[in-house]
Amino acid sequence: MSSQEERAARFQALHAGEPFVIPNPWDAVSARVLEGLGFHALATTSSGFAFTLGRLDGKVTLDEVTEHVEALVRATELPVSIDLENGYGADPGAAAHAITRAAEAGAVGGSIEDWDPGGHLYEPPHAVERVQAAVEAARKLGWPFALTARAENHIRGNPDLDDTIARLQAYEQAGADVLYAPGLVSADEIHTVCAAVSKPVNVLARPGLSFAEIAEAGAQRVSVGGALTWSAVGAFVEAATAIRERGDFSSLGDSSGLQAWLS
């Protein structure tokens, strides 16, 4: 069994076991730290990675994302799933190509969403075709690549839970391994979604809900999106502001606690 196949098997087992958190590093160092803290898998964040390049979310190319994944895979032994946004193209073939490229870069999972960067949700029949194409590409790999299908309604100004559920059910029928509707705001919403499908559901963490509450509502996997990136950036801005405005260096940290993970 190759290293990638072994990671894929571990990732598949996580989805069949107890609910787990899959945090989102923004670079190789944050990935190493998260591994050192004891997490069992990682997922990329499109917004966090774009930030490292000085760009907004959605402004990164597939080539750049695959290079990013290669760096994360080199940095850790953990399974890595990749945020592939809309597959970098509206056509089903683009979604399939993105999955193939992600696997070639070392990822063992990836997500395809139903939001077009042009500013609209794909109509359900087209969205399903895209998921089907991604699933077919994943199955051709010969090992269990975990394909996550995302329904973007709730973070794109269309919080229609019935439509979200209908989309996720269609994506499940199309063969997706994991289902994901970012932006669910309550345990009741999470429970309603999880009860409507049979595949594992990923939920985006919210400050007002604990992991226990999300898991009790039925989620198998909990990710944090770009939030860890913004937590780190917030601490950086706070410390830099104190220096600039007050000459206060009291917020400065050191790397002594990281040495064991980065050596």
Side-chain angles (χ1 to χ4, degrees):
M1 183 180 293
S2 72
S3 174
Q4 187 173 21
E5 290 171 335
E6 191 275 331
R7 294 187 201 207
R10 280 191 280 136
F11 198 43
Q12 185 180 49
L14 284 173
H15 289 87
E18 294 297 318
F20 66 100
V21 176
I22 183 167
N24 305 78
W26 58 94
D27 61 10
V29 172
S30 57
R32 289 277 292 276
V33 171
L34 290 168
E35 181 180 31
L37 289 171
F39 290 98
H40 299 296
L42 304 171
T44 67
T45 160
S46 61
S47 61
F49 175 55
F51 171 80
T52 68
L53 302 178
R55 303 179 202 163
L56 295 175
D57 196 11
K59 303 298 183 182
V60 177
T61 68
L62 178 58
D63 285 343
E64 290 168 327
V65 168
T66 54
E67 289 177 6
H68 173 52
V69 172
E70 288 171 352
L72 298 187
V73 170
R74 286 194 302 269
T76 85
E77 296 298 321
L78 298 181
V80 176
S81 183
I82 175 172
D83 181 347
L84 290 166
E85 302 184 53
N86 76 322
Y88 306 93
D91 293 339
H97 178 64
I99 295 299
T100 301
R101 289 288 306 279
E104 290 172 348
V108 298
S111 62
I112 295 292
E113 63 190 44
D114 56 11
W115 171 258
D116 190 281
H120 62 91
L121 290 160
Y122 294 119
E123 291 299 321
H126 182 49
V128 169
E129 288 180 10
R130 300 175 76 257
V131 173
Q132 288 173 331
V135 168
E136 289 175 6
R139 299 298 177 262
K140 289 178 181 178
L141 297 171
W143 45 267
F145 184 98
L147 191 284
T148 298
R150 292 176 47 149
E152 298 290 287
N153 273 337
H154 288 257
I155 59 172
R156 304 298 182 181
N158 184 41
D160 183 338
L161 193 61
D162 289 339
D163 185 59
T164 294
I165 289 171
R167 285 172 178 266
L168 293 179
Q169 289 173 333
Y171 303 158
E172 178 177 9
Q173 289 298 314
D177 302 298
V178 181
L179 304 169
Y180 182 18
L184 300 178
V185 299
S186 69
D188 285 343
E189 283 191 342
I190 296 167
H191 174 75
T192 299
V193 167
C194 293
V197 298
S198 61
K199 293 292 181 69
V201 173
N202 185 97
V203 168
L204 181 65
R206 298 182 64 85
L209 288 174
S210 68
F211 172 71
E213 290 170 322
I214 295 172
E216 185 176 352
Q220 175 64 24
R221 194 174 86 184
V222 181
S223 58
V224 301
L228 281 176
T229 311
W230 315 134
S231 296
V233 172
F236 159 71
V237 170
E238 183 178 350
T241 299
I243 293 169
R244 176 66 182 84
E245 295 184 352
R246 302 187 299 277
D248 178 359
F249 301 108
S250 63
S251 295
L252 292 180
D254 63 65
S255 63
S256 58
L258 304 180
Q259 297 306 313
W261 301 322
L262 303 182
S263 60

